[in-house]
Amino acid sequence: MIWNPEQETLSRDELSRQQSENLKRLVRNVYDNVPFYRNRMAEHGVRPDDIRGLADIVKLPFTTKNDMREVYPLGLLAVDREKILEVHTSSGTTGKPVVDAYTARDLDIWSEGMARTLSMGGCTAADTVQNAYGYGLFTGGLGVHYGARRIGANILPISGGNTRRQLEVMQDFGSTILTCTPSYALYIAEFAAENGIDMAQMKLKSAMLGAEPWSESMRAEIENRLHVKAYDIYGLTEIIGPGVASECEAQNGLHVFEDHFYPEIINPESGEPVQPGEKGELVITTITKEGTPILRYRTRDISFFIEEKCPCGRTARKIHRLLGRTDDMLIVRGVNIFPSQVEHVLLRIESVKPHYQLIVDRRNKLDYLEVQVEMNDELFSDEIKELEATESLIERELHSELNIHAKVKLLNPKSIPRSEGKAKRVIDRRQIVDKQEGKI
Amino acid sequence: MIIQQISVFIENKSGRIYEVAAVLAEKNVNIRSLALADTASFGVLRMIVDKADVAYEALKAAGVTAKISEVVAIEVPDQVGGFAAVMKVMSEAGINVEYMYAFVEKNQDNAVLIFRFDDVRKTLGLLKGKGLRILQAKEVLSL
């Protein structure tokens, strides 16, 4: 179901015209009102008048997460403080948090993006949305909340965690739409199975899942176990939160809400645009935002544009589901590895469950990758040779996918920590070694 | 003729065998014999216990990966050449032993060996009438 047919099915020409106008206005606005951008543009030798249309966007400087941290908390504010109604930030686990400050119009855009998103999953005013994203400074909880509110759906603002309660609420109030991270959706499925709760008896029809990269095979598993259609939703605090790009009924790529968030795909090394359809880093410009507008934000997310027309009728370009992040991309012995590739391999092998962890270590200056996989009843044999055959089967499959050798280690069931938010998939011990080496 | 053995997956990490032992102790399960087979990265603990079903359920409930396998107990005269005589019978019958280990207790002057074959029933048929003393489950547990 299309929430805003007028905007979502604009002709490409009309969309470009709107984008050009908005881009020009944005550049003028940040040049006049945000010293950070005025300095940056001056350094790049570009003035607002140089931006005459969309094609000129490549003349503008990029903004990185580091830039945003350096101007913490409100260095990117483009309006008077009193116009700000709400502030959200990232968790800041890897440094100073990044800040998103919303005017009334920004909250309106956010609600619109999330109303479009939830509609893609079939949400109407008759639906009940169980929102298991965390509420708070994190954008996930309130983003979904505002979108559901815009649609007029019944919201259950349960927030994350307390899985037993999640299932009770789901049953008692007949939730039809679940919103959370994909790893938490799987965790709910597992918890239900262990406690003899039949998910087929629930009224759930869709799960709108985001905030971490996941795979097509993980989607199949979630759909199967939760008896839902699972949709990938994408967003980030730096831009607005969730509701930047979302999957439609076709479940084949995410439409970027590009009338508000203009996307580019660039080569992360050169910063140049890639060829059409080529993989690269997603860059987004918030062409309509007022509070903390962002020029050419380097998302570090890897994707590519899907060029075909979408059968759903929406005209916004689609990006492929994320292939990983440039910063969780592991480089092991010079080979680029995404945790999602490992997950994909594991899900392909019968009886192996997608609970895994990658341990990267460095011994004698060489990188070692260990993939830890949980044992389960179906995999277990009391004969060593069978278990070794399982290990080597997984190793062979990993090798053919990753092109490097990974040692497989079988662990006790449930020994890999289950996450109620973003799953921690990678433990990179090499950094510690690097620091020690740095001291010498 | 068929004895139930509990096999348990042991992750290569300290404290894992203790976990298993503690579960069995708590359920008052007596371990009559055991053998640990291991590789560089994991192990399999095989045990003959007095209450296999109780042990299995308790281990499952504790989140341990376990299964019940069928093994055969054969009595061997505790003297030079006793073991060789048994293995000669198997070798001549073309029987492949998956693994084996010795029982802790003796049956009077005889040692007891536990054998795992890939097809227990077929193997028992082949061993019939070959002069080997194959013990019943209750004989093994009463040792």
Side-chain angles (χ1 to χ4, degrees), chain A residues 320-401:
Chain A
H320 186 270
R321 68 158 63 246
L322 301 187
L323 298 163
R325 289 177 60 82
T326 55
D327 51 5
D328 82 0
M329 182 177 81
L330 282 169
I331 303 180
V332 180
R333 297 192 180 192
V335 178
N336 296 352
I337 292 171
F338 295 107
S340 58
Q341 290 177 286
V342 172
E343 179 176 296
H344 192 72
V345 168
L346 296 181
L347 280 159
R348 250 188 353 230
I349 303 171
E350 219 194 317
S351 307
V352 174
K353 296 281 182 281
H355 298 297
Y356 67 94
Q357 212 160 34
L358 309 185
I359 314 283
V360 196
D361 213 341
R362 182 168 291 164
R363 288 175 231 139
N364 301 324
K365 308 233 185 276
L366 267 183
D367 293 340
Y368 288 89
L369 176 63
E370 184 178 89
V371 177
Q372 301 189 330
V373 181
E374 283 184 3
M375 178 49 73
N376 63 58
D377 288 357
E378 282 166 79
L379 271 187
F380 182 50
S381 158
D382 77 325
E383 287 179 38
I384 297 282
K385 68 177 180 200
E386 302 268 339
L387 293 175
E388 286 188 322
T390 303
E391 277 185 339
S392 63
L393 170 70
I394 301 172
E395 287 179 0
R396 274 199 312 278
E397 293 288 319
L398 285 170
H399 189 270
S400 74
E401 174 83 21

Coordinates of all heavy atoms in Angstrom, one line a residue, chain A residues 320-401:
Chain A
H320 N 20.1 -1.9 -3.0 CA 20.2 -3.3 -2.6 C 20.3 -3.3 -1.0 O 20.9 -2.4 -0.5 CB 21.3 -4.0 -3.2 CG 21.4 -5.5 -2.9 ND1 22.0 -6.0 -1.8 CD2 20.8 -6.5 -3.6 CE1 21.9 -7.3 -1.9 NE2 21.1 -7.7 -2.9
R321 N 19.8 -4.3 -0.4 CA 19.9 -4.4 1.0 C 21.4 -4.3 1.3 O 22.3 -4.7 0.5 CB 19.4 -5.8 1.6 CG 20.2 -7.0 1.1 CD 20.0 -8.2 2.1 NE 18.7 -8.7 2.2 CZ 17.9 -8.6 3.3 NH1 18.4 -8.1 4.4 NH2 16.7 -9.1 3.3
L322 N 21.8 -3.8 2.5 CA 23.2 -3.4 2.8 C 24.0 -4.7 2.7 O 23.7 -5.7 3.2 CB 23.3 -2.8 4.2 CG 22.5 -1.6 4.4 CD1 22.9 -1.0 5.8 CD2 22.7 -0.5 3.3
L323 N 25.2 -4.5 2.1 CA 26.1 -5.6 2.0 C 27.1 -5.6 3.2 O 28.0 -6.5 3.3 CB 26.9 -5.5 0.7 CG 26.0 -5.6 -0.6 CD1 26.7 -5.1 -1.8 CD2 25.5 -7.1 -0.7
G324 N 27.0 -4.6 4.0 CA 27.9 -4.5 5.2 C 28.2 -3.1 5.3 O 27.7 -2.2 4.7
R325 N 29.1 -2.8 6.2 CA 29.6 -1.5 6.4 C 31.1 -1.4 6.2 O 31.8 -2.4 6.4 CB 29.3 -1.0 7.9 CG 27.9 -0.8 8.2 CD 27.6 -0.4 9.6 NE 28.3 0.8 10.0 CZ 27.9 2.0 9.8 NH1 26.8 2.2 9.2 NH2 28.6 3.0 10.2
T326 N 31.5 -0.3 5.7 CA 33.0 -0.2 5.4 C 33.7 -0.3 6.7 O 34.8 -0.7 6.8 CB 33.3 1.1 4.7 OG1 32.9 2.2 5.5 CG2 32.8 1.2 3.3
D327 N 33.0 0.0 7.9 CA 33.8 -0.1 9.1 C 33.5 -1.4 9.9 O 34.2 -1.7 10.9 CB 33.6 1.1 10.0 CG 32.1 1.5 10.2 OD1 31.3 0.7 9.7 OD2 31.8 2.5 10.8
D328 N 32.5 -2.3 9.5 CA 32.6 -3.6 10.1 C 33.1 -4.6 9.1 O 33.1 -5.8 9.3 CB 31.2 -4.0 10.7 CG 30.2 -4.6 9.8 OD1 30.5 -4.7 8.6 OD2 29.1 -4.9 10.2
M329 N 33.5 -4.1 8.0 CA 34.1 -4.9 7.0 C 35.5 -5.3 7.6 O 36.2 -4.4 8.0 CB 34.3 -4.1 5.7 CG 34.9 -4.9 4.6 SD 35.1 -3.9 3.1 CE 36.5 -3.0 3.4
L330 N 35.7 -6.6 7.6 CA 37.0 -7.1 8.2 C 37.9 -7.2 7.0 O 37.6 -7.7 6.0 CB 36.8 -8.4 8.8 CG 36.1 -8.5 10.1 CD1 35.7 -9.9 10.4 CD2 37.1 -8.0 11.2
I331 N 39.2 -6.9 7.3 CA 40.2 -7.2 6.3 C 41.1 -8.2 7.0 O 41.8 -7.9 7.9 CB 40.9 -6.0 5.8 CG1 39.9 -5.0 5.3 CG2 42.0 -6.4 4.8 CD1 40.6 -3.7 4.8
V332 N 41.0 -9.5 6.5 CA 41.8 -10.6 7.1 C 42.7 -11.0 6.0 O 42.3 -11.5 5.0 CB 40.9 -11.7 7.6 CG1 41.7 -12.8 8.2 CG2 39.9 -11.2 8.6
R333 N 44.0 -11.0 6.3 CA 45.0 -11.3 5.3 C 44.8 -10.6 4.0 O 44.8 -11.3 2.9 CB 45.1 -12.8 5.1 CG 45.5 -13.5 6.4 CD 45.9 -14.9 6.1 NE 46.3 -15.6 7.4 CZ 46.9 -16.8 7.4 NH1 47.1 -17.4 6.4 NH2 47.2 -17.3 8.6
G334 N 44.4 -9.4 4.1 CA 44.1 -8.6 2.8 C 42.8 -8.9 2.1 O 42.6 -8.3 1.1
V335 N 42.0 -9.8 2.7 CA 40.8 -10.1 2.0 C 39.6 -9.4 2.8 O 39.6 -9.4 4.0 CB 40.5 -11.6 2.0 CG1 39.2 -12.0 1.4 CG2 41.6 -12.3 1.3
N336 N 38.7 -8.8 2.0 CA 37.6 -8.1 2.6 C 36.5 -9.1 3.0 O 36.1 -9.9 2.2 CB 37.0 -7.1 1.7 CG 37.9 -6.0 1.3 OD1 39.0 -5.9 1.9 ND2 37.6 -5.1 0.4
I337 N 36.1 -9.0 4.2 CA 35.0 -10.0 4.7 C 33.9 -9.3 5.4 O 34.2 -8.4 6.2 CB 35.7 -11.0 5.7 CG1 36.6 -11.9 4.9 CG2 34.6 -11.9 6.3 CD1 37.4 -12.8 5.8
F338 N 32.7 -9.6 5.0 CA 31.5 -9.0 5.7 C 31.0 -10.2 6.6 O 30.8 -11.3 6.1 CB 30.5 -8.5 4.8 CG 30.9 -7.4 3.9 CD1 31.2 -7.5 2.6 CD2 31.0 -6.1 4.5 CE1 31.6 -6.4 1.9 CE2 31.4 -5.0 3.8 CZ 31.7 -5.2 2.5
P339 N 30.6 -9.9 7.8 CA 30.0 -10.9 8.7 C 28.8 -11.5 8.0 O 28.5 -12.7 8.1 CB 29.6 -10.1 9.9 CG 30.6 -9.0 10.0 CD 30.9 -8.6 8.6
S340 N 28.1 -10.7 7.2 CA 26.8 -11.2 6.6 C 27.2 -12.4 5.6 O 26.4 -13.2 5.4 CB 26.1 -10.1 5.8 OG 27.0 -9.5 4.9
Q341 N 28.4 -12.4 5.0 CA 28.8 -13.5 4.1 C 28.9 -14.8 4.9 O 28.5 -15.8 4.5 CB 30.1 -13.2 3.5 CG 30.2 -12.1 2.5 CD 31.6 -11.9 2.0 OE1 32.4 -11.3 2.8 NE2 31.9 -12.3 0.8
V342 N 29.4 -14.7 6.1 CA 29.6 -15.9 7.0 C 28.2 -16.4 7.3 O 27.9 -17.6 7.3 CB 30.4 -15.5 8.2 CG1 30.4 -16.7 9.2 CG2 31.8 -15.1 7.9
E343 N 27.3 -15.5 7.7 CA 26.0 -15.8 8.1 C 25.3 -16.6 6.9 O 24.6 -17.6 7.1 CB 25.2 -14.6 8.4 CG 23.8 -14.8 8.8 CD 23.1 -13.6 9.2 OE1 23.5 -13.0 10.2 OE2 22.2 -13.1 8.5
H344 N 25.5 -16.0 5.7 CA 24.9 -16.6 4.5 C 25.3 -18.1 4.4 O 24.5 -18.9 4.1 CB 25.3 -15.8 3.3 CG 24.5 -16.1 2.1 ND1 23.2 -15.8 2.0 CD2 24.8 -16.8 1.0 CE1 22.7 -16.2 0.9 NE2 23.7 -16.8 0.2
V345 N 26.6 -18.3 4.5 CA 27.2 -19.7 4.4 C 26.6 -20.6 5.4 O 26.1 -21.7 5.1 CB 28.7 -19.6 4.5 CG1 29.3 -21.0 4.7 CG2 29.4 -18.9 3.3
L346 N 26.5 -20.1 6.7 CA 26.0 -21.0 7.8 C 24.6 -21.4 7.5 O 24.2 -22.5 7.8 CB 26.2 -20.3 9.1 CG 27.6 -20.0 9.6 CD1 27.6 -19.3 10.9 CD2 28.4 -21.3 9.6
L347 N 23.8 -20.4 7.0 CA 22.4 -20.7 6.8 C 22.1 -21.7 5.7 O 21.1 -22.3 5.6 CB 21.6 -19.4 6.6 CG 21.3 -18.7 7.9 CD1 21.0 -17.2 7.7 CD2 20.1 -19.3 8.6
R348 N 23.1 -21.8 4.8 CA 23.0 -22.7 3.7 C 23.2 -24.1 4.1 O 22.8 -25.0 3.4 CB 24.1 -22.3 2.7 CG 23.5 -21.7 1.4 CD 24.5 -21.5 0.3 NE 25.9 -21.7 0.5 CZ 26.9 -20.9 0.2 NH1 26.6 -19.7 -0.3 NH2 28.1 -21.2 0.4
I349 N 23.9 -24.3 5.2 CA 24.3 -25.7 5.6 C 23.2 -26.2 6.6 O 22.9 -25.6 7.6 CB 25.7 -25.7 6.3 CG1 26.7 -25.1 5.4 CG2 26.0 -27.1 6.8 CD1 28.1 -24.9 6.0
E350 N 22.7 -27.3 6.2 CA 21.6 -27.9 7.0 C 22.0 -28.1 8.4 O 23.2 -28.4 8.7 CB 21.3 -29.3 6.4 CG 19.8 -29.6 6.4 CD 19.6 -31.0 6.1 OE1 20.2 -31.6 5.2 OE2 18.7 -31.6 6.8
S351 N 21.1 -27.9 9.4 CA 21.3 -28.1 10.8 C 22.1 -27.0 11.5 O 22.2 -27.0 12.7 CB 21.9 -29.5 11.1 OG 21.2 -30.5 10.5
V352 N 22.8 -26.2 10.7 CA 23.6 -25.2 11.4 C 22.7 -24.0 11.7 O 21.9 -23.6 10.8 CB 24.8 -24.7 10.5 CG1 25.5 -23.5 11.1 CG2 25.7 -25.9 10.3
K353 N 22.8 -23.4 12.9 CA 21.9 -22.3 13.2 C 22.7 -21.0 13.1 O 23.9 -21.0 13.3 CB 21.4 -22.4 14.7 CG 20.5 -23.7 14.9 CD 19.1 -23.4 14.4 CE 18.2 -24.6 14.6 NZ 18.4 -25.6 13.6
P354 N 22.1 -19.9 12.8 CA 22.8 -18.7 12.5 C 23.3 -17.9 13.7 O 23.2 -16.7 13.8 CB 21.8 -17.8 11.7 CG 20.5 -18.3 12.2 CD 20.6 -19.7 12.6
H355 N 23.7 -18.6 14.7 CA 24.3 -18.0 15.9 C 25.8 -18.2 15.7 O 26.3 -19.3 15.8 CB 23.8 -18.6 17.2 CG 22.3 -18.4 17.4 ND1 21.7 -17.2 17.5 CD2 21.4 -19.3 17.4 CE1 20.4 -17.4 17.6 NE2 20.2 -18.6 17.5
Y356 N 26.5 -17.1 15.5 CA 27.9 -17.2 15.2 C 28.7 -16.0 15.7 O 28.1 -15.0 16.0 CB 28.1 -17.4 13.7 CG 27.8 -16.2 12.9 CD1 28.7 -15.3 12.6 CD2 26.4 -15.9 12.6 CE1 28.4 -14.1 11.9 CE2 26.1 -14.8 11.9 CZ 27.1 -13.9 11.5 OH 26.8 -12.7 10.9
Q357 N 29.9 -16.2 15.7 CA 30.8 -15.0 16.1 C 32.1 -15.2 15.4 O 32.6 -16.3 15.2 CB 31.0 -15.1 17.6 CG 31.2 -13.7 18.2 CD 30.9 -13.7 19.7 OE1 31.2 -14.6 20.4 NE2 30.4 -12.6 20.2
L358 N 32.6 -14.1 14.9 CA 33.9 -14.1 14.2 C 35.0 -13.6 15.2 O 34.8 -12.5 15.8 CB 33.9 -13.3 13.0 CG 32.8 -13.4 12.0 CD1 33.0 -12.6 10.8 CD2 32.7 -14.9 11.6
I359 N 36.0 -14.4 15.3 CA 37.1 -13.9 16.2 C 38.3 -13.7 15.2 O 38.7 -14.7 14.5 CB 37.5 -15.0 17.2 CG1 36.3 -15.6 17.9 CG2 38.5 -14.5 18.2 CD1 35.7 -14.7 19.0
V360 N 38.9 -12.6 15.2 CA 40.0 -12.3 14.4 C 41.2 -12.0 15.3 O 41.1 -11.3 16.3 CB 39.9 -11.1 13.5 CG1 40.9 -11.1 12.4 CG2 38.5 -11.0 12.9
D361 N 42.3 -12.7 15.1 CA 43.5 -12.6 15.9 C 44.7 -12.5 15.1 O 44.7 -12.8 13.9 CB 43.5 -13.8 16.9 CG 44.1 -13.4 18.2 OD1 44.8 -12.3 18.3 OD2 44.0 -14.2 19.2
R362 N 45.8 -12.0 15.7 CA 47.0 -11.9 14.9 C 48.1 -12.6 15.7 O 48.4 -12.3 16.8 CB 47.4 -10.5 14.7 CG 48.6 -10.3 13.9 CD 48.8 -8.8 13.4 NE 47.7 -8.5 12.5 CZ 47.5 -7.2 12.2 NH1 48.1 -6.2 12.8 NH2 46.5 -6.9 11.3
R363 N 48.7 -13.6 15.0 CA 49.8 -14.3 15.7 C 51.0 -14.3 14.7 O 50.8 -14.6 13.5 CB 49.4 -15.8 15.9 CG 48.4 -16.0 17.1 CD 48.0 -17.4 17.2 NE 46.5 -17.5 17.2 CZ 45.8 -18.4 16.6 NH1 46.4 -19.3 15.9 NH2 44.5 -18.4 16.6
N364 N 52.1 -14.0 15.2 CA 53.3 -13.9 14.4 C 53.1 -13.0 13.2 O 53.4 -13.4 12.0 CB 53.9 -15.2 14.0 CG 54.2 -16.1 15.2 OD1 54.7 -15.6 16.2 ND2 53.9 -17.4 15.1
K365 N 52.4 -11.9 13.4 CA 52.1 -11.0 12.3 C 51.1 -11.5 11.2 O 51.0 -10.9 10.2 CB 53.3 -10.4 11.6 CG 54.4 -9.9 12.6 CD 54.8 -8.5 12.2 CE 55.9 -8.0 13.1 NZ 55.4 -7.4 14.3
L366 N 50.5 -12.6 11.5 CA 49.6 -13.2 10.5 C 48.2 -13.2 11.1 O 48.0 -13.4 12.3 CB 49.9 -14.6 10.2 CG 50.8 -14.8 9.0 CD1 51.0 -16.3 8.7 CD2 50.2 -14.2 7.7
D367 N 47.2 -12.8 10.3 CA 45.8 -12.8 10.8 C 45.2 -14.2 10.8 O 45.4 -15.0 9.9 CB 44.9 -11.9 9.9 CG 45.3 -10.5 9.9 OD1 46.0 -10.1 10.9 OD2 45.0 -9.8 9.0
Y368 N 44.4 -14.5 11.8 CA 43.7 -15.8 11.9 C 42.2 -15.4 12.1 O 41.9 -14.6 12.9 CB 44.2 -16.6 13.0 CG 45.5 -17.2 12.7 CD1 46.7 -16.5 13.0 CD2 45.6 -18.5 12.1 CE1 47.9 -17.1 12.7 CE2 46.9 -19.0 11.7 CZ 48.0 -18.3 12.1 OH 49.2 -18.8 11.7
L369 N 41.4 -16.1 11.3 CA 40.0 -15.9 11.5 C 39.4 -17.2 12.0 O 39.6 -18.3 11.5 CB 39.3 -15.6 10.1 CG 37.8 -15.5 10.1 CD1 37.3 -14.4 11.0 CD2 37.3 -15.3 8.7
E370 N 38.7 -17.1 13.1 CA 38.0 -18.2 13.7 C 36.5 -18.0 13.6 O 36.1 -16.9 14.0 CB 38.4 -18.4 15.2 CG 37.8 -19.7 15.8 CD 38.3 -19.9 17.2 OE1 37.7 -19.4 18.2 OE2 39.3 -20.6 17.4
V371 N 35.7 -18.9 13.2 CA 34.3 -18.8 13.1 C 33.7 -19.7 14.2 O 33.9 -20.9 14.1 CB 33.7 -19.1 11.7 CG1 32.2 -19.0 11.7 CG2 34.3 -18.1 10.7
Q372 N 33.1 -19.1 15.2 CA 32.5 -20.0 16.2 C 31.0 -20.2 15.9 O 30.3 -19.3 15.6 CB 32.6 -19.2 17.6 CG 34.1 -18.9 17.9 CD 34.2 -18.4 19.3 OE1 33.3 -17.8 19.9 NE2 35.4 -18.7 19.9
V373 N 30.7 -21.5 16.0 CA 29.3 -21.9 15.6 C 28.8 -22.8 16.7 O 29.6 -23.6 17.3 CB 29.4 -22.8 14.3 CG1 28.0 -23.2 13.9 CG2 30.0 -22.0 13.2
E374 N 27.6 -22.6 17.0 CA 27.0 -23.4 18.2 C 26.6 -24.8 17.8 O 26.0 -25.1 16.7 CB 25.8 -22.7 18.7 CG 26.1 -21.5 19.6 CD 24.9 -20.9 20.2 OE1 23.8 -21.4 20.0 OE2 25.1 -19.9 20.9
M375 N 26.9 -25.7 18.6 CA 26.5 -27.1 18.5 C 25.0 -27.2 18.7 O 24.5 -26.4 19.5 CB 27.3 -27.9 19.6 CG 26.9 -29.4 19.6 SD 27.0 -30.2 18.1 CE 28.7 -30.3 17.8
N376 N 24.3 -28.1 18.1 CA 22.9 -28.4 18.5 C 22.6 -29.9 18.3 O 23.5 -30.6 17.8 CB 22.0 -27.5 17.7 CG 22.1 -27.8 16.2 OD1 21.9 -28.9 15.8 ND2 22.4 -26.8 15.4
D377 N 21.5 -30.3 18.7 CA 21.2 -31.7 18.7 C 21.3 -32.3 17.3 O 21.7 -33.5 17.2 CB 19.7 -32.0 19.2 CG 19.7 -31.7 20.7 OD1 20.8 -31.4 21.3 OD2 18.6 -31.8 21.3
E378 N 20.8 -31.6 16.3 CA 20.9 -32.2 15.0 C 22.3 -32.3 14.4 O 22.6 -33.3 13.7 CB 20.1 -31.2 14.0 CG 18.6 -31.3 14.1 CD 18.0 -30.2 13.4 OE1 17.9 -30.2 12.1 OE2 17.6 -29.2 14.1
L379 N 23.2 -31.4 14.8 CA 24.6 -31.5 14.4 C 25.4 -32.6 15.1 O 26.3 -33.1 14.6 CB 25.3 -30.2 14.6 CG 25.2 -29.1 13.6 CD1 26.1 -28.0 14.0 CD2 25.6 -29.6 12.2
F380 N 25.0 -32.8 16.3 CA 25.8 -33.6 17.2 C 25.8 -35.1 16.8 O 24.8 -35.7 16.5 CB 25.3 -33.5 18.7 CG 26.2 -34.3 19.6 CD1 27.6 -34.1 19.6 CD2 25.6 -35.1 20.6 CE1 28.3 -34.8 20.5 CE2 26.4 -35.8 21.5 CZ 27.8 -35.7 21.4
S381 N 27.0 -35.7 16.8 CA 27.2 -37.1 16.6 C 28.2 -37.5 17.7 O 29.0 -36.7 18.2 CB 27.8 -37.4 15.3 OG 28.4 -38.6 15.3
D382 N 28.1 -38.8 18.2 CA 29.1 -39.1 19.2 C 30.4 -39.6 18.6 O 31.3 -40.1 19.3 CB 28.5 -40.1 20.2 CG 28.4 -41.5 19.7 OD1 28.2 -41.7 18.5 OD2 28.6 -42.5 20.4
E383 N 30.4 -39.5 17.3 CA 31.7 -40.0 16.6 C 32.5 -38.8 16.2 O 32.0 -37.9 15.5 CB 31.3 -40.9 15.4 CG 30.9 -42.2 16.0 CD 30.5 -43.2 14.8 OE1 31.2 -43.1 13.8 OE2 29.5 -43.9 15.0
I384 N 33.7 -38.8 16.6 CA 34.6 -37.7 16.3 C 34.7 -37.4 14.8 O 34.7 -36.3 14.4 CB 36.0 -38.0 16.9 CG1 36.0 -38.1 18.4 CG2 37.1 -37.0 16.4 CD1 35.9 -36.9 19.2
K385 N 34.8 -38.5 14.0 CA 35.0 -38.3 12.6 C 33.8 -37.5 12.0 O 34.0 -36.7 11.1 CB 35.3 -39.6 11.9 CG 34.1 -40.5 11.8 CD 34.4 -41.8 11.0 CE 33.2 -42.7 11.0 NZ 33.5 -44.1 10.7
E386 N 32.6 -37.8 12.5 CA 31.4 -37.1 12.0 C 31.5 -35.6 12.3 O 31.2 -34.7 11.5 CB 30.1 -37.6 12.6 CG 29.9 -39.1 12.4 CD 29.1 -39.4 11.1 OE1 28.4 -38.5 10.7 OE2 29.2 -40.5 10.6
L387 N 31.9 -35.3 13.6 CA 32.0 -33.9 14.0 C 33.1 -33.2 13.2 O 32.9 -32.0 12.8 CB 32.2 -33.8 15.5 CG 31.1 -34.3 16.4 CD1 31.5 -34.3 17.8 CD2 29.8 -33.5 16.2
E388 N 34.2 -33.9 13.0 CA 35.3 -33.3 12.2 C 34.8 -33.1 10.8 O 35.2 -32.1 10.2 CB 36.5 -34.2 12.3 CG 37.2 -34.1 13.6 CD 38.5 -34.7 13.7 OE1 38.7 -35.8 13.1 OE2 39.4 -34.2 14.4
A389 N 34.0 -34.0 10.3 CA 33.5 -33.8 8.9 C 32.6 -32.5 8.9 O 32.6 -31.8 7.9 CB 32.7 -35.0 8.5
T390 N 31.8 -32.3 9.9 CA 31.0 -31.1 10.0 C 31.8 -29.9 10.0 O 31.6 -28.9 9.2 CB 30.1 -31.1 11.2 OG1 29.3 -32.3 11.2 CG2 29.2 -29.9 11.3
E391 N 32.8 -29.9 10.8 CA 33.8 -28.7 10.9 C 34.4 -28.5 9.5 O 34.4 -27.3 9.1 CB 34.9 -29.0 11.9 CG 34.6 -28.7 13.3 CD 35.8 -28.9 14.2 OE1 36.8 -29.6 13.8 OE2 35.8 -28.4 15.3
S392 N 34.8 -29.5 8.9 CA 35.5 -29.3 7.6 C 34.6 -28.9 6.5 O 34.9 -28.2 5.6 CB 36.5 -30.4 7.3 OG 35.7 -31.6 7.0
L393 N 33.3 -29.4 6.6 CA 32.3 -29.0 5.6 C 32.1 -27.4 5.7 O 32.1 -26.7 4.8 CB 31.0 -29.7 5.8 CG 29.8 -29.1 5.0 CD1 30.0 -29.5 3.6 CD2 28.5 -29.7 5.5
I394 N 31.9 -27.0 7.0 CA 31.7 -25.5 7.2 C 33.0 -24.8 6.7 O 32.8 -23.7 6.1 CB 31.4 -25.2 8.7 CG1 30.1 -26.0 9.1 CG2 31.2 -23.7 8.9 CD1 29.9 -25.9 10.6
E395 N 34.1 -25.3 7.0 CA 35.4 -24.6 6.6 C 35.5 -24.5 5.1 O 35.9 -23.5 4.6 CB 36.6 -25.3 7.2 CG 36.7 -25.1 8.7 CD 37.9 -25.8 9.4 OE1 38.7 -26.5 8.7 OE2 38.1 -25.6 10.6
R396 N 35.1 -25.6 4.4 CA 35.2 -25.6 3.0 C 34.2 -24.6 2.4 O 34.6 -23.8 1.5 CB 34.8 -27.0 2.4 CG 36.0 -27.9 2.3 CD 35.7 -29.1 1.3 NE 34.4 -29.7 1.5 CZ 34.2 -30.6 2.4 NH1 35.1 -31.1 3.2 NH2 33.0 -31.2 2.5
E397 N 33.0 -24.6 2.9 CA 32.0 -23.6 2.4 C 32.4 -22.2 2.7 O 32.2 -21.3 1.8 CB 30.6 -23.9 3.1 CG 30.0 -25.2 2.7 CD 29.5 -25.3 1.2 OE1 28.9 -24.2 0.8 OE2 29.7 -26.3 0.6
L398 N 33.0 -22.0 3.8 CA 33.4 -20.6 4.2 C 34.6 -20.2 3.2 O 34.6 -19.1 2.7 CB 33.9 -20.5 5.6 CG 32.9 -20.5 6.7 CD1 33.5 -20.7 8.1 CD2 32.1 -19.2 6.6
H399 N 35.4 -21.2 3.0 CA 36.6 -20.9 2.1 C 36.1 -20.5 0.7 O 36.6 -19.5 0.1 CB 37.5 -22.1 2.0 CG 38.8 -21.7 1.3 ND1 39.0 -21.9 0.0 CD2 40.0 -21.2 1.8 CE1 40.2 -21.4 -0.4 NE2 40.8 -21.0 0.7
S400 N 35.1 -21.2 0.2 CA 34.7 -20.9 -1.2 C 34.0 -19.6 -1.2 O 34.0 -18.9 -2.2 CB 33.8 -22.0 -1.8 OG 32.5 -22.0 -1.2
E401 N 33.4 -19.1 -0.1 CA 32.7 -17.8 -0.1 C 33.7 -16.7 0.2 O 33.6 -15.6 -0.4 CB 31.6 -17.9 1.0 CG 30.9 -16.5 1.2 CD 29.8 -16.3 0.2 OE1 29.3 -17.2 -0.4 OE2 29.4 -15.1 0.1

